[in-house]
Amino acid sequence: MTNLPPAPEPAAAAETPGSAAPATDAGSEAAVTATATAEGGAVPDNGPVPGPRGPGEPRRPTLRSDVRASWPDGLVALLITAAIFVLLYIRIRNKTSSTVTVMPFMADAGGFWMYFLSQAFGWSALLWAWGTVILGLMLSGPRPGRLPLSGPRLERLHRTTSLNTIALIAAHALLFAAELVRHDTAAWNSAVATAFVEAFVPGGYDSGTGQIAMPIGQAALYLAIPLGLLFYVRHRIGPKTWRILHRCVIVVYVLSVWHTLLYGTNVWYDGWFRTSVWLLQLPIAALLLLRLMRPARRSEKLPGRPGATAGARTGWALRLGGRLAVAAIVVALVAVVASGSDGGRSEPPEDTSSTHNHD
C-alpha cells in the first residue's frame, strides 16, 4: 500500500478513539470533511462534566477494558493482514505488481519481505480506519431501522476498531523503519538513527515523492494517537471540549487516504485498484452528507435563514458552507470513479534505481 502510516488514515469516529471518525460543528463544518460524534446517551451541548459513577450506574468504558475487548477484532485484522501479505508477495514474485514497475530492484520478494509486510499492515490499517469512520457516522447520524448489532455493541465495536487502527498504523511505520535498518550497511546504531529520522521525523525522508507523502503519513500517525485516546479522558476535559477535539479525527483519515494515493506503489498507476480506493470514499462522503443534513443535536441544525446577530450569521454561513462542500465532494467522487481520472501515473518513472526512490 503505502510506505508509511496510511491510514488510516482514519482516522476515526463516533464516541470513541479511532484514526478515522468524522465530525462537524458550527465552527468546523466548512472544513474538508467533518461530522459530529455522539455519546451513547446524548450529553447536552453545554452539559456538566460527568461526575463519579454512582451506585447501580453502568461502568464507564476504560482504555483497559476496551483493550481487553479488542482482541477478536485485532485477531481478524492480523488474519486480513496476513492474507494481504501473501497476495502482495505472490504478485511481486510473479512480477505482476506495480511495485516492481516503480522499483524493479524489489523483484526479489524474499529479500524485501519486511517492506511488503509493512505494505500489508498499511492496507489493513486503511481498511480498519474506513470501517471505523463508517461506524462513527452510523452511530452519530441517522441510523438504519435494522442493524445487526445493538447500539451499545456497535459503540464498543467502534472503540475496538479505533484502537486496532492505531495499532495497525504503528506496525506499518515500525516495519518500514525496520526495513530501512535491515538494508543499511552502516553500524547498527547509525542505521537505527537514520531509519528513525526517515520514518518518524517530518522532512527526514528526502527522496522523490516521499518528501511530501512521508510527512503526510507521519501527521496521520501523530494525530491518531492523542485524538483517538481522548475518549477515555472526556469526563475530565468536559463533553463539549472532547467533542470539539474529537471532531478533528477526520483529518487522520483524510491524511491516510492522501498518503496512500500519493505514495502507495500498489496504486501508483491508473487502474481499477486505484479507482477502487476512490470508490470506497463515496459511502463515507454520502453518510457524512446525510449526517450534516439530519444532525442529531438541535444546535447543529441549519435554520431556514441566518440569525440577527453577527455570530449567528457566521455560524449559519459555516453550516451551509459545510453542507455544500460535502455535497461537492460527493459529486467529485462520482466523477472520478465514473471517468477513471483518478490522478494515477500513466507511465513508469524514468529512474527507479535508487532504494525507495519514488519519483
Side-chain angles (χ1 to χ4, degrees), residues 61 84 92 114 122 130 138 163 197 336 341 343:
I84 295 174
I92 292 292
M114 192 175 292
W130 182 87
M138 291 175 61
L163 292 173
V197 170
V336 167
S341 301

PDB file of all heavy atoms in Angstrom, residues 61 84 92 114 122 130 138 163 197 336 341 343:
ATOM      1  N   PRO A  61     -16.719   3.071  30.118  1.00  0.00           N
ATOM      2  CA  PRO A  61     -15.685   2.337  29.378  1.00  0.00           C
ATOM      3  C   PRO A  61     -14.301   2.897  29.668  1.00  0.00           C
ATOM      4  O   PRO A  61     -14.114   4.118  29.732  1.00  0.00           O
ATOM      5  CB  PRO A  61     -16.071   2.580  27.910  1.00  0.00           C
ATOM      6  CG  PRO A  61     -17.524   2.909  27.942  1.00  0.00           C
ATOM      7  CD  PRO A  61     -17.752   3.639  29.227  1.00  0.00           C
ATOM      8  N   ILE A  84      -3.255 -10.288   2.986  1.00  0.00           N
ATOM      9  CA  ILE A  84      -2.758  -9.232   2.085  1.00  0.00           C
ATOM     10  C   ILE A  84      -1.276  -9.437   1.804  1.00  0.00           C
ATOM     11  O   ILE A  84      -0.819  -9.273   0.668  1.00  0.00           O
ATOM     12  CB  ILE A  84      -3.015  -7.840   2.700  1.00  0.00           C
ATOM     13  CG1 ILE A  84      -4.520  -7.567   2.808  1.00  0.00           C
ATOM     14  CG2 ILE A  84      -2.343  -6.742   1.867  1.00  0.00           C
ATOM     15  CD1 ILE A  84      -4.861  -6.282   3.544  1.00  0.00           C
ATOM     16  N   ILE A  92       4.474  -9.897  -6.300  1.00  0.00           N
ATOM     17  CA  ILE A  92       5.856  -9.466  -6.508  1.00  0.00           C
ATOM     18  C   ILE A  92       6.667 -10.583  -7.162  1.00  0.00           C
ATOM     19  O   ILE A  92       7.418 -10.362  -8.124  1.00  0.00           O
ATOM     20  CB  ILE A  92       6.507  -9.061  -5.166  1.00  0.00           C
ATOM     21  CG1 ILE A  92       5.866  -7.784  -4.616  1.00  0.00           C
ATOM     22  CG2 ILE A  92       8.004  -8.879  -5.332  1.00  0.00           C
ATOM     23  CD1 ILE A  92       6.141  -6.543  -5.436  1.00  0.00           C
ATOM     24  N   MET A 114      10.078  -7.753   4.476  1.00  0.00           N
ATOM     25  CA  MET A 114       9.647  -6.869   5.553  1.00  0.00           C
ATOM     26  C   MET A 114       8.964  -5.614   5.000  1.00  0.00           C
ATOM     27  O   MET A 114       8.018  -5.100   5.585  1.00  0.00           O
ATOM     28  CB  MET A 114      10.835  -6.486   6.434  1.00  0.00           C
ATOM     29  CG  MET A 114      10.438  -5.808   7.734  1.00  0.00           C
ATOM     30  SD  MET A 114      11.844  -5.490   8.824  1.00  0.00           S
ATOM     31  CE  MET A 114      12.298  -7.174   9.287  1.00  0.00           C
ATOM     32  N   GLY A 122      -0.136  -1.541   6.241  1.00  0.00           N
ATOM     33  CA  GLY A 122      -0.685  -0.267   5.805  1.00  0.00           C
ATOM     34  C   GLY A 122      -2.066  -0.408   5.195  1.00  0.00           C
ATOM     35  O   GLY A 122      -2.975   0.367   5.498  1.00  0.00           O
ATOM     36  N   TRP A 130     -11.271   2.915   7.587  1.00  0.00           N
ATOM     37  CA  TRP A 130     -12.502   3.089   6.812  1.00  0.00           C
ATOM     38  C   TRP A 130     -13.701   2.553   7.586  1.00  0.00           C
ATOM     39  O   TRP A 130     -14.738   3.206   7.691  1.00  0.00           O
ATOM     40  CB  TRP A 130     -12.357   2.366   5.472  1.00  0.00           C
ATOM     41  CG  TRP A 130     -13.525   2.507   4.550  1.00  0.00           C
ATOM     42  CD1 TRP A 130     -13.755   3.509   3.647  1.00  0.00           C
ATOM     43  CD2 TRP A 130     -14.641   1.601   4.423  1.00  0.00           C
ATOM     44  NE1 TRP A 130     -14.938   3.292   2.971  1.00  0.00           N
ATOM     45  CE2 TRP A 130     -15.503   2.128   3.431  1.00  0.00           C
ATOM     46  CE3 TRP A 130     -14.984   0.414   5.048  1.00  0.00           C
ATOM     47  CZ2 TRP A 130     -16.676   1.502   3.058  1.00  0.00           C
ATOM     48  CZ3 TRP A 130     -16.161  -0.216   4.684  1.00  0.00           C
ATOM     49  CH2 TRP A 130     -16.996   0.320   3.700  1.00  0.00           C
ATOM     50  N   MET A 138     -22.512   6.058  11.396  1.00  0.00           N
ATOM     51  CA  MET A 138     -23.772   5.369  11.697  1.00  0.00           C
ATOM     52  C   MET A 138     -24.226   5.657  13.124  1.00  0.00           C
ATOM     53  O   MET A 138     -25.427   5.798  13.386  1.00  0.00           O
ATOM     54  CB  MET A 138     -23.599   3.861  11.502  1.00  0.00           C
ATOM     55  CG  MET A 138     -23.423   3.435  10.055  1.00  0.00           C
ATOM     56  SD  MET A 138     -23.092   1.658   9.900  1.00  0.00           S
ATOM     57  CE  MET A 138     -24.594   0.968  10.605  1.00  0.00           C
ATOM     58  N   LEU A 163      -8.997   1.427  18.263  1.00  0.00           N
ATOM     59  CA  LEU A 163      -7.737   1.053  18.905  1.00  0.00           C
ATOM     60  C   LEU A 163      -6.885   0.187  17.984  1.00  0.00           C
ATOM     61  O   LEU A 163      -5.664   0.357  17.896  1.00  0.00           O
ATOM     62  CB  LEU A 163      -8.024   0.313  20.212  1.00  0.00           C
ATOM     63  CG  LEU A 163      -8.649   1.147  21.336  1.00  0.00           C
ATOM     64  CD1 LEU A 163      -9.026   0.249  22.511  1.00  0.00           C
ATOM     65  CD2 LEU A 163      -7.702   2.255  21.787  1.00  0.00           C
ATOM     66  N   VAL A 197      14.943   8.807  11.785  1.00  0.00           N
ATOM     67  CA  VAL A 197      14.763  10.130  11.181  1.00  0.00           C
ATOM     68  C   VAL A 197      13.918  10.025   9.916  1.00  0.00           C
ATOM     69  O   VAL A 197      12.975  10.803   9.706  1.00  0.00           O
ATOM     70  CB  VAL A 197      16.124  10.780  10.866  1.00  0.00           C
ATOM     71  CG1 VAL A 197      15.942  12.038  10.019  1.00  0.00           C
ATOM     72  CG2 VAL A 197      16.858  11.115  12.155  1.00  0.00           C
ATOM     73  N   VAL A 336     -14.896  11.136 -10.468  1.00  0.00           N
ATOM     74  CA  VAL A 336     -13.607  10.440 -10.534  1.00  0.00           C
ATOM     75  C   VAL A 336     -13.813   8.959 -10.852  1.00  0.00           C
ATOM     76  O   VAL A 336     -13.134   8.389 -11.717  1.00  0.00           O
ATOM     77  CB  VAL A 336     -12.843  10.599  -9.205  1.00  0.00           C
ATOM     78  CG1 VAL A 336     -11.672   9.623  -9.135  1.00  0.00           C
ATOM     79  CG2 VAL A 336     -12.334  12.032  -9.053  1.00  0.00           C
ATOM     80  N   SER A 341     -10.485   9.027 -14.133  1.00  0.00           N
ATOM     81  CA  SER A 341      -9.399  10.003 -13.985  1.00  0.00           C
ATOM     82  C   SER A 341      -9.104  10.168 -12.504  1.00  0.00           C
ATOM     83  O   SER A 341      -9.624  11.073 -11.847  1.00  0.00           O
ATOM     84  CB  SER A 341      -9.807  11.346 -14.615  1.00  0.00           C
ATOM     85  OG  SER A 341     -10.102  11.196 -15.985  1.00  0.00           O
ATOM     86  N   GLY A 343      -6.011  10.430 -10.954  1.00  0.00           N
ATOM     87  CA  GLY A 343      -4.730  11.008 -10.557  1.00  0.00           C
ATOM     88  C   GLY A 343      -3.558  10.064 -10.595  1.00  0.00           C
ATOM     89  O   GLY A 343      -2.470  10.415 -10.133  1.00  0.00           O
TER      90      GLY A 343
END
